[in-house]
Amino acid sequence: MDRRHDPERTQGIRTAELTRPPDPGGSGTGVGAEVTRTVSFLGRRIAYVLRVAAHDPPRLLDMVSVAGPMPTHVTYTFDPAPGGGTRARIHVRDASGLYGLAAPLMARKVRSSSVRDLRDLELRLGAPVTARGRDRADAIAAGAGPGRAV
């Protein structure tokens, strides 16, 4: 996952900047690195910071918010897909449980943004993309594997 591509592949993200390097001995988006994302959501500009909690390329990227309007925990996992390609799983959850209060209001907006993100990914890669689950989207993208930023 290369944060420089976040605005291209995720609806609403305007910028994604590395604002803290990884812990000593790390590189790129390694453990301890912080990425500040600026998004547009429901007509408002929101900034939040995600810290890399775990990173095991090309299989796992786990990020937890350290600043922003809502505590968030995002896990990206990548596995070989049946028939070739890579299955990307994105699991987003509220790190505190407070999301449950706003969930009924935000669920429709988040879901529609996820569907658009997957449709755009499908068009970009020329491969089928599916979404399922309440807070998870699975994408099977032929050719989108290790070494290729998705």
Side-chain angles (χ1 to χ4, degrees), residues 5-14 37 76 117 124:
H5 296 285
D6 284 355
E8 298 165 22
R9 53 171 195 252
T10 306
Q11 295 286 325
I13 292 182
R14 300 296 179 240
R37 289 178 172 169
Y76 301 91
D117 292 343
R124 196 172 303 121

Side-chain angles (χ1 to χ4, degrees), residues 12 14 39-46 105-107 109-110 113:
R14 300 296 179 240
V39 300
S40 176
F41 186 74
L42 297 175
R44 300 193 64 162
R45 183 182 173 277
I46 301 168
L105 300 174
M106 296 177 58
K109 177 66 175 166
V110 171
S113 290

Side-chain angles (χ1 to χ4, degrees), residues 27-79:
S27 64
T29 310
V31 173
E34 292 183 3
V35 175
T36 299
R37 289 178 172 169
T38 303
V39 300
S40 176
F41 186 74
L42 297 175
R44 300 193 64 162
R45 183 182 173 277
I46 301 168
Y48 62 97
V49 180
L50 295 173
R51 178 177 294 147
V52 177
H55 191 226
D56 182 15
R59 193 184 69 72
L60 171 74
L61 176 61
D62 188 59
M63 303 176 86
V64 178
S65 65
V66 294
M70 289 179 54
T72 304
H73 187 164
V74 182
T75 303
Y76 301 91
T77 57
F78 305 92
D79 298 300

Side-chain angles (χ1 to χ4, degrees), residues 61-138:
L61 176 61
D62 188 59
M63 303 176 86
V64 178
S65 65
V66 294
M70 289 179 54
T72 304
H73 187 164
V74 182
T75 303
Y76 301 91
T77 57
F78 305 92
D79 298 300
T86 298
R87 180 183 314 254
R89 290 190 174 99
I90 305 162
H91 187 76
V92 181
R93 57 214 175 272
D94 171 18
S96 73
L98 293 175
Y99 179 73
L101 298 174
L105 300 174
M106 296 177 58
R108 179 176 288 172
K109 177 66 175 166
V110 171
R111 187 177 311 226
S112 68
S113 290
S114 296
V115 169
R116 281 193 310 269
D117 292 343
L118 291 170
R119 184 199 62 227
D120 292 348
L121 178 62
E122 179 179 45
L123 292 172
R124 196 172 303 121
L125 297 173
V129 176
T130 60
R132 66 175 196 251
R134 185 177 177 129
D135 60 351
R136 175 177 100 185
D138 293 344

